[in-house]
Amino acid sequence: MPPITDPPGLPDILGPGLQVVFCGLNPGVDAAVAGHHFLGRGNRFWPVLHLAGFTPHQLLPQDDHTVLDFGLGLTAAVGRPTTRADQVAKDEFAQAAAGLLQKLAQYQPQWIAFLGKAAYAAMTGRRQLEWGEQPERFGGARVWILPNPSGLNRGYSKEQLVDAYAELRRALS
């Protein structure tokens, strides 16, 4: 019987001169298998991105590569797909920091928006984090922490997510 292997991670959608790179915690298994970011049925990323003013219409996960047209990029802190983000250990985030810093150095986006606090906290060793803009830069980019849009994140309604993401959108102007 052949060994069971994890599906590959998702390819980054990055390019030079981006306004914001949205950094998810890690890809979901279904998203990794399909090859598209934020694919989960309950994931609210695409509608929130549109309603917050980042895109003129709601993109579908299958059109994730078109975010580049709007000055946006997509990556994940950890490439290993899981069914739930809490299956990623803190040390995996810390070990992934060097790779993420290298991507940021290469593409030099203005901002990196971490979707949730876990990855940024583990990568920087900071324990007390507030939502929104952070005082330090990460890989040369300004840092913003947003609530995770996963449908499993019941702590934020869709409206609250839109408000949080719109705050970042206003900071870009």
Side-chain angles (χ1 to χ4, degrees), residues 9-69:
L10 277 170
D12 293 325
I13 300 175
L14 298 171
L18 298 174
Q19 283 191 307
V20 181
V21 170
F22 290 96
C23 182
L25 297 174
N26 75 308
V29 172
D30 291 343
V33 168
H36 296 291
H37 293 259
F38 304 105
L39 183 71
R41 281 181 306 196
N43 198 298
R44 301 169 289 180
F45 180 78
W46 298 111
V48 166
L49 195 68
H50 166 61
L51 294 171
F54 284 98
T55 61
H57 59 275
Q58 183 176 322
L59 302 177
L60 298 173
Q62 296 81 353
D63 299 323
D64 55 4
H65 61 281
T66 65
V67 297
L68 294 172
D69 297 340

Side-chain angles (χ1 to χ4, degrees), residues 109-127:
Q110 293 174 24
W111 291 87
I112 181 166
F114 286 90
L115 306 184
K117 294 179 179 180
Y120 189 66
M123 289 180 173
T124 62
R126 289 189 54 207
R127 292 196 170 136

Side-chain angles (χ1 to χ4, degrees), residues 2-172:
I4 296 172
T5 59
D6 287 334
L10 277 170
D12 293 325
I13 300 175
L14 298 171
L18 298 174
Q19 283 191 307
V20 181
V21 170
F22 290 96
C23 182
L25 297 174
N26 75 308
V29 172
D30 291 343
V33 168
H36 296 291
H37 293 259
F38 304 105
L39 183 71
R41 281 181 306 196
N43 198 298
R44 301 169 289 180
F45 180 78
W46 298 111
V48 166
L49 195 68
H50 166 61
L51 294 171
F54 284 98
T55 61
H57 59 275
Q58 183 176 322
L59 302 177
L60 298 173
Q62 296 81 353
D63 299 323
D64 55 4
H65 61 281
T66 65
V67 297
L68 294 172
D69 297 340
F70 307 105
L72 309 174
L74 301 173
T75 191
V78 169
R80 183 175 69 85
T82 60
T83 54
R84 294 175 18 164
D86 64 3
Q87 294 172 320
V88 179
K90 287 180 185 177
D91 66 328
E92 285 182 88
F93 289 125
Q95 292 169 9
L100 182 56
L101 287 166
Q102 186 175 33
K103 292 174 196 180
L104 295 174
Q106 179 179 352
Y107 293 105
Q108 300 179 2
Q110 293 174 24
W111 291 87
I112 181 166
F114 286 90
L115 306 184
K117 294 179 179 180
Y120 189 66
M123 289 180 173
T124 62
R126 289 189 54 207
R127 292 196 170 136
Q128 297 296 322
L129 294 172
E130 300 295 325
W131 297 111
E133 187 173 1
Q134 302 304 299
E136 65 282 332
R137 290 181 178 250
F138 187 80
R142 295 172 74 181
V143 178
W144 199 282
I145 300 178
L146 292 165
N148 194 300
S150 167
L152 298 175
N153 181 4
R154 304 274 185 226
Y156 285 86
S157 69
K158 183 175 169 183
E159 294 74 22
Q160 289 171 315
L161 289 171
V162 169
D163 289 345
Y165 284 55
E167 190 177 344
L168 169 58
R169 178 71 183 111
R170 287 189 296 273
L172 302 180

